[in-house]
Amino acid sequence: MATAGEYILVLINGLIIVVTIVGGLLTLLVIWTRPVLRKLVNVPLASLSCADLLLAILCSPFWIQQILHPQWEPPGALCWLIGYTSPVLWGVSVSHMLCIALHRYFKICTTSMRLKSTRVLVIMLLLTWLVPILSFLPLYVGEDVKVDPKLKRCAMGRSDKLWAKIPPVVLNFILSYIATLVMYILIQNHVRKSEVRVRPIVPGPSTHLAVQYSRGDPSSGTATARVIMAKPVRNLDGVELVGEEKSGGEGQNSSDHIDPCKPKGIRTILVATASGSSTERQDISQGSNALPSDEEREEGHSGPDEPKGVALTVTIESDQAGTNERQRQAVPDRMRSPQTRCASAAERQITRMMMTLFAVYTLCCMPMTIMVIFSSKVSSEAFAVGQLLATLNGAVNPVVYGVMNKNIRRGYKHVWDRILNYIT
């Protein structure tokens, strides 16, 4: 007769199975049907969902049966299948963690297009499935698998083939986990160094700016402005270029913000806002020919030799007191193009989601892995908790997808809406 604690364990396990199956099917359906999700980065997620579904369908229900009926002995072939697929599917899960980490590393830390290709990802996914399947097979060939009373499931716990147990455990669980951890450490280190490279070289608060302007070659249609910082600059958040463009033949000026990609003209004013001080406006000039004042601009004044349609190139340099060397300012991430910033933010978000999956796997599956290694010193109650946590991993993965990926979250909502509309 099962105890109250065992009934609670069965209830929780049943809920986990339902959530895992529903979440896995939703993930596969969303990735298959939504064009925005048909990307290379989502293929390992679909493969991992298949592994979670197989584990929830083939292994967990028989564990419930064994808890409710401890004396039940499954048929030999069925017990062999359950005992073989359980470690294989757990090994497939941790191999997926390594596959995802390698794919992220190739995407972020390397420039090789071959390592980022579909062929490489397909090869890694094939190895993700084949290595656990083939490495555990010699352990179960010719063995009579029985129900382990401590684990309350079919397993090879009583087998004396110690030589066959160690290699697959080390290869699929220990080495794969360590390699995955190393990959994410390398990714984090690469990202940290990249962030350091794009920071301004010259630290310190900004209080004073001096500007030189050169009209350049009128025939080439380019002009340059050099901004020299007399004191250290911490950031350029308060600096913007404001210019005026004359309408042809009208003599009227209109003040607009200059898009760096779409220069309006050469009459430019640099507006620098220092922390704790008022806004300062400095005219860009060449020699003794200064730009017109505000009153002159209102009267439609323009220089006699002022070329039109000249592209303005701004070079920002530092000229610190006591230092003759001029240091060119590194371009921060905020000054990149919107497309580059969006792509970089998307990659960072995907990497955070993959690292969260690895953290979830660590919390859910590693306790059970450690218990299996030291099974002789672990109680049956501890094994029950460890198996419950390992089963929970498949239910949490779809939740992580939905929380950290807005496209998958929208896909979940779209599918649920269609299902509810069909039912009602």
Side-chain angles (χ1 to χ4, degrees):
M1 185 66 181
T3 63
E6 290 176 336
Y7 279 116
I8 295 175
L9 184 64
V10 168
L11 178 61
I12 296 175
N13 195 17
L15 292 175
I16 291 174
I17 293 173
V18 172
V19 173
T20 301
I21 294 176
V22 174
L25 292 176
L26 269 178
T27 302
L28 293 175
L29 185 62
V30 164
I31 293 176
W32 179 261
T33 58
R34 302 284 287 182
V36 70
L37 294 174
R38 293 177 192 168
K39 298 179 180 179
L40 206 61
V41 68
N42 294 324
V43 176
L45 301 184
S47 180
L48 179 60
S49 297
C50 292
D52 293 337
L53 283 172
L54 291 175
L55 188 63
I57 295 172
L58 296 178
C59 303
S60 298
F62 295 100
W63 183 38
I64 293 178
Q65 174 69 13
Q66 200 64 42
I67 293 174
L68 295 177
H69 304 282
Q71 304 302 324
W72 178 71
E73 190 75 24
L78 180 61
C79 194
W80 186 93
L81 180 64
I82 297 172
Y84 173 64
T85 55
S86 296
V88 166
L89 291 175
W90 277 336
V92 169
S93 296
V94 68
S95 298
H96 273 91
M97 298 296 109
L98 178 57
C99 175
I100 292 172
L102 284 173
H103 187 245
R104 287 285 88 200
Y105 179 81
F106 295 154
K107 184 72 175 178
I108 296 174
C109 303
T110 65
T111 58
S112 174
M113 297 307 297
R114 288 186 178 181
L115 295 177
K116 302 176 185 179
S117 64
T118 304
R119 177 181 298 180
V120 171
L121 181 60
V122 171
I123 292 174
M124 288 194 299
L125 287 176
L126 288 176
L127 293 175
T128 294
W129 286 89
L130 288 177
V131 170
I133 291 174
L134 297 178
S135 60
F136 280 103
L137 190 59
L139 181 61
Y140 286 84
V141 171
E143 284 291 323
D144 187 17
V145 181
K146 299 292 184 180
V147 176
D148 192 324
K150 182 181 289 188
L151 296 176
K152 294 185 178 180
R153 63 180 179 85
C154 298
M156 290 287 295
R158 296 180 178 180
S159 176
D160 56 353
K161 287 186 176 181
L162 184 62
W163 61 270
K165 291 179 181 179
I166 295 177
V169 170
V170 172
L171 176 63
N172 292 282
F173 296 105
I174 299 178
L175 291 182
S176 297
Y177 183 84
I178 294 175
T180 305
L181 187 62
V182 169
M183 288 296 104
Y184 282 122
I185 291 175
L186 292 176
I187 291 173
Q188 284 292 96
N189 187 49
H190 177 82
V191 172
R192 181 180 58 82
K193 289 182 178 180
S194 299
E195 291 175 350
V196 170
R197 282 198 298 267
V198 301
R199 289 176 185 171
I201 297 175
V202 185
S206 175
T207 58
H208 182 71
L209 294 175
V211 180
Q212 280 187 335
Y213 173 77
S214 175
R215 295 183 184 272
D217 186 5
S219 61
S220 63
T222 60
T224 60
R226 185 172 59 186
V227 181
I228 302 175
M229 286 164 271
K231 292 187 178 182
V233 175
R234 178 163 306 186
N235 55 60
L236 298 175
D237 290 338
V239 178
E240 60 178 345
L241 293 177
V242 179
E244 297 183 359
E245 179 184 15
K246 291 187 64 176
S247 57
E250 294 289 336
Q252 297 176 351
N253 295 344
S254 60
S255 179
D256 295 310
H257 179 73
I258 292 183
D259 189 339
C261 300
K262 298 178 181 179
K264 300 290 185 178
I266 65 166
R267 182 175 298 171
T268 307
I269 297 175
L270 183 69
V271 180
T273 305
S275 177
S277 62
S278 59
T279 301
E280 299 177 3
R281 295 176 177 263
Q282 298 178 346
D283 292 345
I284 298 176
S285 61
Q286 179 188 20
S288 60
N289 297 327
L291 288 176
S293 63
D294 294 341
E295 292 80 3
E296 291 173 330
R297 286 198 299 271
E298 292 176 358
E299 296 174 0
H301 175 82
S302 62
D305 57 345
E306 186 179 69
K308 298 178 182 179
V310 178
L312 179 64
T313 303
V314 179
T315 302
I316 303 176
E317 299 178 350
S318 67
D319 189 12
Q320 302 182 21
T323 304
N324 295 326
E325 181 184 2
R326 301 180 185 272
Q327 298 175 332
R328 185 176 296 274
Q329 192 87 343
V331 179
D333 183 67
R334 63 177 179 274
M335 296 179 66
R336 298 176 183 175
S337 65
Q339 293 84 359
T340 304
R341 289 198 301 268
C342 292
S344 179
E347 289 298 328
R348 287 195 298 268
Q349 182 64 23
I350 292 173
T351 304
R352 282 195 293 266
M353 184 181 74
M354 301 306 185
M355 295 179 70
T356 303
L357 287 178
F358 180 63
V360 169
Y361 174 84
T362 301
L363 294 175
C364 293
C365 296
M366 286 310 294
M368 185 62 187
T369 303
I370 297 174
M371 290 179 190
V372 170
I373 296 175
F374 303 98
S375 58
S376 60
K377 301 180 180 180
V378 181
S379 63
S380 58
E381 292 78 9
F383 268 120
V385 176
Q387 291 184 80
L388 190 65
L389 285 175
T391 308
L392 181 64
N393 182 51
V396 176
N397 285 341
V399 177
V400 174
Y401 305 153
V403 170
M404 304 195 68
N405 191 310
K406 65 178 181 180
N407 290 324
I408 296 180
R409 182 167 62 250
R410 292 171 181 172
Y412 286 164
K413 185 177 183 301
H414 176 74
V415 172
W416 271 116
D417 291 342
R418 294 190 64 178
I419 293 175
L420 293 177
N421 291 335
Y422 178 80
I423 294 175
T424 57

